[in-house]
Amino acid sequence: MSTPGPVGQGLQLAPFRGLRYASERVSSLAAVTSPPYDVVVRPDGLRHLETADPYNIVRLILPQTGEPTARHQQAAQTLRRWQAEGVLTPDPEPALYVYEQRDQGLLQRGLIGALRLSPPREGVVLPHENVMPHVVEDRADLMRATAANLEPLLLSYDGHETDALNGDAGLAPSADGHAPAAAPGASAVIDRAVRRPPLLATTTEDGVAHRLWRIADPAEIAEAASDLRQRQALIADGHHRWATYLRLRDERRDPGPWDFGLVLLVDSARYPLRVRAIHRLLRRLSPADALAAVGDAFRVRPVDGPLTAALDALATAQDEAERAGAARNAFLLAGGGRFHLLDRPDPALLAAAVPRDRPEAWRTLDATVLHALLLDRVWRISDAPEHIGYIHDANAAVEQTERHGGTAVLMRPVEEGVVRDLARQGVAMPHKSTSFGPKPATGLVLRSLELG
């Protein structure tokens, strides 16, 4: 990764007084959690969460009453009421939190804390996607109203690249060839914590088991912090919230709690993240109109369902194009009970549509080609919420288009190495290009800025 600046100016993770649900006041901890705000499928998923428990966190991260200002004020009032009623209670002292997610074939652990904010030019926290201004504005209004970080961002760092400033060799692999052996620092702090009884444990309806440990020992906090100050991180999930953190910090002149933001830091060398695609729902474009407009811009072929078979055809098309030396961009259109594969874009149209002032890796991204060629030139669709929805799950995208009309554009994931390489160059990918996971559950620990 690029050098993050002077020694000691890497990741600066601080403890905070976590705000957490009192388990005796809710039906279950699982029933009050939610996926991150931008993963919640609306309206169906939102209604499901709202009915799971009267205190579900979705009432804070996605309030639904009235105009935006009224919604944000409602969230603030709800947060204050839940605190007054003892539904949400602050931990007694500042701490870092070890967070674990476990599922079949999956184990992820990381540290939740308050991270000192830094702009991209410092090279400490590396974004890899552009953001949409209206989303940042909405999240900023919500954070101002609630004076809280309601859900942690997901950031990853590579534990093999120990001290980028001093050129250390990194962690050695363990004897079994799997996760690297723990070295003093954040990894050791995490490994010691998980041998103790957890602060809380719950299993959400998707089958993922979540556990949380509190680290309040000043020596352990210092050990983790000293290690992390040598490191840089990639924003895996939460670009809009990170941009919101920076905006709200810049609004204030005096140092204080707004100089920090709630994050989950995961060492991807020990716990590799998954990279998935984010799909587009073109709300006002019918499949027939979409296909008619494509013309000769792409090769168009119907493919058989079900969805899993159609997605396999998408993957095969990209692999075949790569072997043939053709542009490997391909998209799966869904709607009206049918699937169509778009591949082999016209080279001349592609060259004319995609800007030339970016690296080749950026120019050949599916998201770049989708927005520059299909959305801007072929379909002439503006990137506004009333026209385009972003859905993380392919099944949900197809279900939404079948129920409400429109056309779903299903994408393939970007390789993590491409994401990191572009981030190191300071080149932002089109927004909503990737979905890193597993994402932390929202609602297990919050950060109130009024607690300091």
Side-chain angles (χ1 to χ4, degrees):
M1 289 187 177
S2 57
T3 302
V7 174
Q9 297 301 311
L11 298 170
Q12 299 182 55
L13 194 68
F16 68 102
R17 290 181 67 193
L19 190 63
R20 298 187 297 108
Y21 281 97
S23 58
E24 68 275 9
R25 296 298 308 274
V26 298
S27 59
S28 72
L29 289 176
V32 295
T33 64
S34 165
Y37 79 98
D38 58 336
V39 181
V40 175
V41 177
R42 286 162 266 183
D44 301 338
L46 178 63
R47 284 197 295 266
H48 176 73
L49 292 166
E50 286 179 328
T51 57
D53 187 284
Y55 299 113
N56 189 283
I57 193 70
V58 79
R59 298 180 186 275
L60 300 183
I61 62 173
L62 287 173
Q64 293 298 302
T65 298
E67 296 301 313
T69 299
R71 291 199 296 268
H72 301 142
Q73 290 303 318
Q74 179 194 44
Q77 293 166 8
T78 301
L79 176 59
R80 288 193 292 268
R81 184 175 73 253
W82 289 358
Q83 290 180 265
E85 294 173 353
V87 175
L88 287 169
T89 60
D91 281 339
E93 58 186 335
L96 299 177
Y97 297 83
V98 172
Y99 176 51
E100 176 188 276
Q101 293 164 278
R102 187 185 290 268
D103 195 5
Q104 293 182 351
L106 166 72
L107 173 63
Q108 178 172 284
R109 291 173 179 152
L111 277 175
I112 294 177
L115 185 68
R116 180 174 288 279
L117 306 178
S118 59
R121 66 177 179 273
E122 293 184 9
V124 177
V125 175
L126 303 176
H128 69 268
E129 287 185 357
N130 287 321
V131 297
M132 295 178 280
H134 73 276
V135 177
V136 175
E137 186 63 41
D138 177 75
R139 292 296 99 183
D141 288 343
L142 178 63
M143 284 189 203
R144 287 191 200 96
T146 59
N149 300 154
L150 300 173
E151 45 189 338
L153 283 64
L154 175 61
L155 274 61
S156 71
Y157 65 92
D158 187 346
H160 280 127
E161 298 176 347
T162 46
D163 192 343
L165 303 174
N166 299 325
D168 288 354
L171 297 175
S174 60
D176 61 7
H178 293 99
S187 294
V189 170
I190 290 171
D191 289 346
R192 289 195 298 269
V194 298
R195 291 196 289 268
R196 304 192 290 263
L199 180 66
L200 65 85
T202 190
T203 300
T204 45
E205 65 179 7
D206 57 3
V208 178
H210 307 261
R211 295 198 293 174
L212 197 73
W213 292 262
R214 184 168 54 218
I215 299 175
D217 182 344
E220 287 198 310
I221 292 172
E223 180 180 352
S226 177
D227 176 20
L228 293 170
R229 276 196 296 270
Q230 305 174 66
R231 304 189 184 281
Q232 305 158 287
L234 176 75
I235 300 178
D237 185 68
H239 284 81
H240 289 90
R241 283 166 285 163
W242 181 258
T244 300
Y245 288 168
L246 294 176
R247 174 182 292 192
L248 297 181
R249 181 201 63 178
D250 292 345
E251 291 177 356
R252 290 159 175 80
R253 294 183 178 180
D254 298 327
W258 294 89
D259 292 338
F260 296 79
L262 185 64
V263 304
L264 166 64
L265 281 170
V266 173
D267 178 359
S268 59
R270 304 188 83 206
Y271 305 105
L273 299 180
R274 296 172 176 171
V275 188
R276 291 177 173 157
I278 302 178
H279 312 288
R280 275 64 170 164
L281 176 60
L282 311 183
R283 306 183 193 279
R284 300 179 180 178
L285 182 68
S286 71
D289 289 343
L291 293 170
V294 168
D296 295 328
F298 282 78
R299 183 174 66 172
V300 179
R301 292 177 289 160
V303 294
D304 295 330
L307 177 58
T308 52
L311 289 173
D312 287 342
L314 174 62
T316 300
Q318 291 186 317
D319 293 340
E320 289 176 348
E322 188 169 19
R323 288 194 295 269
R328 67 188 305 267
N329 306 108
F331 309 95
L332 184 66
L333 268 58
R338 302 180 66 192
F339 298 102
H340 287 85
L341 184 67
L342 274 59
D343 66 351
R344 307 293 176 96
D346 180 272
L349 292 177
L350 198 59
V354 177
R356 296 180 177 274
D357 60 346
R358 304 290 179 86
E360 181 69 12
W362 182 91
R363 289 169 49 80
T364 56
L365 289 170
D366 282 344
T368 298
V369 173
L370 172 66
H371 284 261
L373 180 52
L374 279 171
L375 293 176
D376 291 352
R377 296 203 175 197
V378 172
W379 293 326
R380 300 185 182 278
I381 295 176
S382 63
D383 195 356
E386 61 268 25
H387 294 293
I388 303 178
Y390 293 87
I391 301 180
H392 290 69
D393 181 75
N395 286 289
V398 173
E399 181 181 337
Q400 288 284 306
T401 195
E402 296 299 341
R403 181 178 300 183
H404 303 292
T407 301
V409 181
L410 306 182
M411 315 275 287
R412 291 284 297 171
V414 182
E415 294 179 0
E416 183 176 358
V418 173
V419 177
R420 289 189 178 275
D421 288 345
L422 288 173
R424 288 168 179 151
Q425 297 175 59
V427 177
M429 299 167 66
H431 55 258
K432 301 297 181 182
S433 293
T434 62
S435 177
F436 279 85
K439 304 177 192 302
T442 298
L444 295 180
V445 60
L446 288 61
R447 175 177 176 254
S448 171
L449 282 78
E450 294 176 345
L451 294 174

